[in-house]
Amino acid sequence: MGILLNTLPKSVEICGSEVPIAWDFRTSINFSELLLSKELDEKEQITQGAKLYYGSVIYDFSEEEATEAIEKMLWFYKAGEIQDTRKSSNKKQKQTYSFDQDGDYIYAAFREQFNVDLSCADLHWWSFRAMFGSISASTQFGKILGYRTIDINKVSSKEDREFYRMMKKEYALDKKISTDEDKLIQEINDALMRGEDVSHLLKG
């Protein structure tokens, strides 16, 4: 679904019925933090995520509805672009940011570059994603991402290498942050593709 040619979804179709979904960017940021949590197992992540997106209605879903609700929840979170898990299930992504740890920098970047005040913005998750992915390297957050991702071995100057080592240390992510968000989503989608029953995850 192209963001330029379609109305941003505020509901999803589950077994032929339109079900409201929490479309505000804060909901999906909270879900992202759930996926990165090492304190929750997969079942808890999915259950709490479904509560964020659908509220208590999840307990009224039938088995078929619950399975499709999980699928549509992940579809919405990925902005309609669930990737082919068969092509990337063995590829581990390195975490380069944290909405929690980098919150102040992200807020400042949106204010500086887009003149958007995230503290009071009524912003759709898909809009937030598009803007987030376009944050300029000239913002402080953009510079921090550069520090975290630069390959020091490819920096020729000794002084520059020392500088980037210091910046990597200064802006390093907490060790408690997991790097398996994409892997978890891939595993859930693989289960759905195999026709496995995941509806029990939404039963209280």
Side-chain angles (χ1 to χ4, degrees):
M1 179 181 288
I3 193 171
L4 294 180
L5 302 177
N6 297 275
T7 301
L8 297 179
K10 296 185 177 181
S11 64
V12 292
E13 183 176 318
I14 298 176
C15 295
S17 298
E18 288 295 320
V19 177
I21 192 166
W23 51 268
D24 184 272
F25 75 96
R26 297 173 184 84
T27 298
S28 290
I29 285 179
N30 284 328
F31 182 52
S32 175
E33 293 302 305
L34 285 178
L35 292 175
L36 295 174
S37 174
K38 290 185 176 181
E39 299 176 357
L40 301 176
D41 61 26
E42 181 178 320
K43 176 180 178 180
E44 292 171 324
Q45 289 169 324
I46 296 174
T47 303
Q48 293 190 31
K51 287 180 182 177
L52 285 172
Y53 282 112
Y54 301 114
S56 60
V57 70
I58 64 173
Y59 299 118
D60 297 325
F61 285 152
S62 66
E63 179 178 311
E64 182 180 3
E65 289 171 335
T67 298
E68 188 166 349
I70 294 172
E71 185 178 86
K72 291 298 176 63
M73 174 182 74
L74 299 177
W75 170 85
F76 182 86
Y77 177 69
K78 284 293 188 179
E81 299 180 356
I82 293 294
Q83 60 193 26
D84 187 342
T85 62
R86 292 167 296 182
K87 294 181 180 180
S88 56
S89 58
N90 294 321
K91 189 175 181 179
K92 190 172 183 179
Q93 300 290 329
K94 182 178 180 180
Q95 191 70 19
T96 58
Y97 65 87
S98 162
F99 286 124
D100 181 31
Q101 189 172 331
D102 296 324
D104 289 348
Y105 300 118
I106 294 170
Y107 172 87
F110 268 72
R111 193 64 187 251
E112 174 185 342
Q113 185 172 340
F114 307 115
N115 196 29
V116 171
D117 184 347
L118 291 177
S119 68
C120 58
D122 189 23
L123 191 63
H124 193 284
W125 168 239
W126 291 20
S127 297
F128 176 90
R129 274 177 54 106
M131 297 166 77
F132 182 80
S134 301
I135 289 178
S136 171
S138 65
T139 65
Q140 182 61 18
F141 179 61
K143 292 176 182 178
I144 290 171
L145 291 180
Y147 298 149
R148 290 175 181 162
T149 57
I150 192 169
D151 185 348
I152 295 179
N153 293 324
K154 294 182 179 180
V155 177
S156 58
S157 167
K158 180 179 179 180
E159 291 76 12
D160 287 344
R161 287 198 299 271
E162 182 59 29
F163 170 76
Y164 286 121
R165 286 193 185 94
M166 291 174 58
M167 292 300 99
K168 278 182 176 289
K169 184 177 181 180
E170 175 71 19
Y171 295 106
L173 291 172
D174 293 340
K175 291 183 178 180
K176 66 179 181 180
I177 295 175
S178 171
T179 60
D180 293 328
E181 172 185 330
D182 286 339
K183 181 180 179 181
L184 173 62
I185 292 177
Q186 291 163 7
E187 289 174 352
I188 297 170
N189 276 282
D190 282 341
L192 291 168
M193 290 175 63
R194 291 193 298 267
E196 296 179 9
D197 178 20
V198 293
S199 62
H200 64 284
L201 298 178
L202 301 192
K203 299 303 179 181

